């Protein structure tokens, strides 16, 4: 009997550090960045620079500091076809300027990892798996997907995976990219990209779409989106497009 009790005690001791290792944060945020065939290598770099500038900006850091726990967890994933979703920066807890800068440095120093034709459903499912498989407890959970097209050519249907996210309590927001650089015409022919994001991709309480066009810099749009997500202001704009 003593031996059994000793074994139980040893098991309890060995499990305790695992439980303690779980971190609580205000937000778990998966940044799903478009790296499909329409995005060349220079644009990949441009996107990453925009996210790096946004995550280290004082407005974003102030939003983090204004949270209940004053920290968020972020991972950056580039996606292409149904076989290509690559974690560029793994889960990182950001609780201030130093951690934000570490995230930005890692983002800018990693080579391109994803390729292929749009598979938005596969990207969403990857984001959901990353949330469900980490050791972080977020008060809120958000997948943020950027794309210059709402088409999905392979992998699971977007409708299926967005419903999976909703069932798991995960909100999906969108960054509709009409133009990465000033003075270019990036609006798709034949359909309204923002409307397609609003009706086919985003889902959940507080979900919204932010538009990037030739009048707004990419980094500015990303920063506005991050502030809304971190400060939990999405409920003010549920289902809306923010330009």
């Amino acid at each position: 009997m003593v031996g059994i009790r000793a074994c139980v005690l040893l098991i309890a001791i060995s499990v305790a550090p695992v439980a303690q290792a779980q971190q609580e944060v205000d937000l778990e945020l998966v940044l799903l960045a478009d790296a499909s065939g329409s995005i060349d290598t220079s644009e990949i770099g441009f996107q990453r620079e925009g996210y790096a500038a946004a995550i280290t900006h004082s407005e974003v850091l102030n939003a983090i500091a204004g949270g209940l726990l004053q920290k968020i967890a972020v991972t950056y994933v580039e996606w292409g076809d149904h076989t290509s979703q690559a974690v560029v920066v793994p889960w990182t807890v950001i609780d201030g300027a130093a951690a934000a800068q570490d995230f930005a440095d890692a983002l800018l120093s990693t080579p391109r990892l994803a390729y292929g034709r749009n598979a938005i459903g596969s990207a969403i499912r990857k984001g959901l798996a990353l949330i469900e498989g980490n050791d972080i407890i977020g008060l809120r959970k958000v997948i943020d997907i950027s794309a210059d097209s709402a088409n999905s050519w392979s992998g699971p249907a977007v409708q299926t995976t967005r419903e999976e996210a909703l069932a798991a309590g995960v909100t999906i927001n969108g960054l509709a990219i009409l133009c990465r650089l000033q003075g270019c015409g990036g609006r798709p022919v034949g359909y309204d990209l923002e409307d397609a994001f609003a009706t086919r991709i985003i889902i959940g309480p507080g979900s919204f779409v932010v538009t990037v066009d030739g009048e707004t810099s990419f980094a500015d749009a990303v920063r506005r989106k991050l502030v809304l997500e971190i400060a939990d202001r999405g409920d003010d704009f549920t289902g809306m497009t923010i330009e």
Side-chain angles (χ1 to χ4, degrees), residues 86-103:
V87 175
V88 179
V89 184
W91 285 111
T92 303
V93 173
I94 298 179
D95 56 3
Q101 189 61 57
D102 287 345
F103 184 94

Side-chain angles (χ1 to χ4, degrees), residues 153-233:
W153 303 107
S154 61
V158 176
Q159 180 63 30
T160 299
T161 56
R162 72 199 287 261
E163 292 291 344
E164 291 172 358
L166 182 65
V170 177
T171 293
I172 300 176
N173 294 329
L175 186 69
I177 303 175
L178 302 177
C179 189
R180 289 176 179 77
L181 304 171
Q182 296 287 340
C184 63
R187 190 173 292 278
V189 176
Y191 71 98
D192 185 307
L193 182 59
E194 298 102 309
D195 181 67
F197 259 83
T199 57
R200 303 181 206 168
I201 297 176
I202 69 169
I203 199 168
S207 59
F208 60 87
V209 180
V210 170
T211 299
V212 180
D213 57 27
E215 300 302 319
T216 304
S217 78
F218 188 88
D220 287 345
V222 172
R223 183 177 73 250
R224 286 188 296 126
K225 176 187 63 64
L226 289 176
V227 169
L228 288 173
E229 288 166 335
I230 295 166
D232 197 16
R233 289 287 310 284

